[in-house]
């Protein structure tokens, strides 16, 4: 058997080495991408939780303290809503400080509160404003169904549905 | 084929093989950790959803008219969620602060956490009486 031609071993070894290293690197890259996706998903779930907590807090305030605002679109609050909430109270409702004890501190800015197409339904949108974060603020969308006042009680929330999160990706 | 060329090829190949082996080991370990984190995150999600479902069930079975005492409603809400089964490896914590209930679900390893504030008034478990009540911010 003839010996291999001179100069054949080194390119073969280099090629095989390259394939091995590239294979290892591709696995690393896939793992890193998976980690980045997981971190993004975790942040997204955290934002959803904060916004849902904010929506719950806002609804509780409206039901208990300012029920006349419940059926008024946000645009009508300054005029028709002045009867049950003065300007400073309305501002506090529209820029709620989230009392969730999480870091960074955040406020939930009320972006939308208006009747939906369904009877006694209201569309709610809250923007989360975290301290030190100005770009791509996440917005949580919700739908609220109300129950009109009865004999012995005022307005009541029949159902609160989460419609999803927009924005907020790092 | 000279001895130098063969030696050099052996050094390059063995170095690359060692390096690749380390990368594969590291990548495999990361992948396993990722898989575990995915699984735990799904368990937390399931536990949170179960807690929220218990809260909605409590709301669906609430009395009509709704009581005006939201503190008592928060206590009943916490008891209702507590009675619902939690996920196996997930720890569920309930804390009451005034008119609100903090629902937390935690995992041990990796340490992940989800939390939601639940207000009985936002679930329809309590409502203001017809005469408007001024003051009070209803915050937790």
């Amino acid at each position: 058997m003839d010996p291999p031609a001179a100069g054949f071993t080194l390119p073969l070894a280099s090629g095989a080495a390259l394939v091995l290293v590239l294979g290892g690197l591709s696995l690393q890259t896939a793992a890193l991408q998976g980690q980045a996706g997981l971190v993004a998903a975790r942040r997204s779930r955290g934002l959803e939780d904060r916004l849902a907590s904010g929506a719950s807090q806002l609804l509780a305030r409206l039901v208990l303290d300012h029920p006349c605002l419940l059926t008024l679109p946000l645009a009508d609050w300054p005029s028709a809503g002045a009867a049950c909430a003065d300007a400073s109270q309305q501002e506090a409702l529209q820029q709620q400080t989230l009392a969730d004890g999480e870091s960074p501190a955040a406020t939930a800015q009320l972006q939308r509160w208006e009747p939906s197409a369904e009877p006694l339904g209201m569309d709610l949108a809250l923007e989360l404003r975290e301290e030190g974060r100005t770009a791509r603020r996440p917005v949580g969308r919700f739908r609220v169904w109300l129950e009109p006042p009865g004999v012995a009680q005022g307005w009541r929330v029949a159902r609160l549905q989460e419609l999803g999160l927009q924005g907020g990706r790092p | 084929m000279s001895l130098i060329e063969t030696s050099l090829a052996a050094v390059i190949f063995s170095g690359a093989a060692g390096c690749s082996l380390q990368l594969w080991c590291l990548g495999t370990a990361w992948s396993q950790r990722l898989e575990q984190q995915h699984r735990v995150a799904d368990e937390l999600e399931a536990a949170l959803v179960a807690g929220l479902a218990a809260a909605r069930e409590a709301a669906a079975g609430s009395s009509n008219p709704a009581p005006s005492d939201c503190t008592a409603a928060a206590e009943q809400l916490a008891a209702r969620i507590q009675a619902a089964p939690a996920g196996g490896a997930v720890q569920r914590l309930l804390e009451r602060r005034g008119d609100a209930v903090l629902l937390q679900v935690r995992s041990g390893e990796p340490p992940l956490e989800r939390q939601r504030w639940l207000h009985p008034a936002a679930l329809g478990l309590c409502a203001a009486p017809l005469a408007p009540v001024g003051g009070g911010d209803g915050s937790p």
Side-chain angles (χ1 to χ4, degrees):
Chain A
M1 199 171 84
D2 292 336
F8 174 72
T9 315
L10 197 54
L12 184 67
S14 303
L18 194 64
V19 168
L20 284 174
V21 172
L22 285 180
L25 281 176
S26 69
L27 185 72
Q28 278 300 71
T29 310
L32 279 175
Q33 280 178 341
Q35 181 71 37
L38 192 70
V39 169
R42 197 182 303 161
R43 170 163 169 77
S44 179
R45 284 173 174 166
L47 293 172
E48 278 175 18
D49 289 343
R50 295 195 86 177
L51 281 163
S53 298
S56 177
Q57 185 178 316
L58 173 68
L59 276 182
R61 285 186 182 184
L62 287 175
V63 167
L64 297 175
D65 302 330
H66 311 288
C68 86
L69 298 178
L70 275 170
T71 50
L72 280 181
L74 183 59
D76 294 342
W77 282 18
S79 51
C84 72
D86 60 30
S88 64
Q89 287 173 324
Q90 289 193 20
E91 194 184 330
L93 288 168
Q94 290 176 41
Q95 290 183 8
Q96 281 188 107
T97 302
L98 291 184
D100 55 12
E102 286 201 48
S103 182
T107 55
Q109 172 79 31
L110 179 58
Q111 280 201 331
R112 187 176 186 204
W113 177 256
E114 58 189 46
S116 69
E118 297 175 50
L120 292 173
M122 299 294 285
D123 283 336
L124 166 65
L126 285 178
E127 183 185 76
L128 190 71
R129 297 188 170 181
E130 288 177 325
E131 216 169 63
R133 186 181 174 92
T134 53
R136 288 192 288 272
R137 289 169 172 156
V139 176
R141 300 194 178 278
F142 306 86
R143 181 156 294 160
V144 183
W145 282 270
L146 300 170
E147 194 179 304
V151 179
Q153 71 178 28
W155 282 95
R156 180 178 178 180
V157 174
R159 194 173 154 215
L160 167 63
Q161 183 186 9
E162 294 170 31
L163 300 180
L165 184 72
Q166 289 180 343
R169 290 271 177 185
Chain B
M1 185 166 63
S2 69
L3 182 62
I4 295 175
E5 185 185 352
T6 311
S7 307
L8 196 58
V11 167
I12 289 173
F13 185 76
S14 57
C19 180
S20 173
L21 187 68
Q22 281 191 356
L23 286 173
W24 275 87
C25 286
L26 210 61
T28 310
W30 279 4
S31 296
Q32 283 174 349
R33 208 172 55 192
L34 271 179
E35 202 175 309
Q36 190 194 10
Q37 287 182 348
H38 269 297
R39 188 175 45 76
V40 170
D42 288 345
E43 284 176 4
L44 283 183
E45 176 80 15
L48 189 74
V49 167
L52 295 176
R56 285 195 195 100
E57 275 174 26
S62 62
S63 60
N64 201 359
S68 57
D69 185 357
C70 288
T71 308
E75 200 167 322
Q76 287 170 4
L77 174 64
R80 189 72 183 255
I81 297 173
Q82 192 69 57
V90 175
Q91 188 187 7
R92 185 175 58 201
L93 301 168
L94 286 160
E95 188 185 329
R96 267 196 48 224
R97 283 191 206 166
D99 289 353
V101 175
L102 175 62
L103 167 63
Q104 286 178 304
V105 285
R106 285 181 188 163
S107 64
E109 190 55 45
L112 300 177
E113 183 182 303
R114 301 273 307 266
Q115 70 170 38
R116 290 273 178 115
W117 282 96
L118 304 172
H119 296 76
L123 289 163
L125 288 167
C126 64
L130 267 182
V133 177
D137 59 7
S139 62

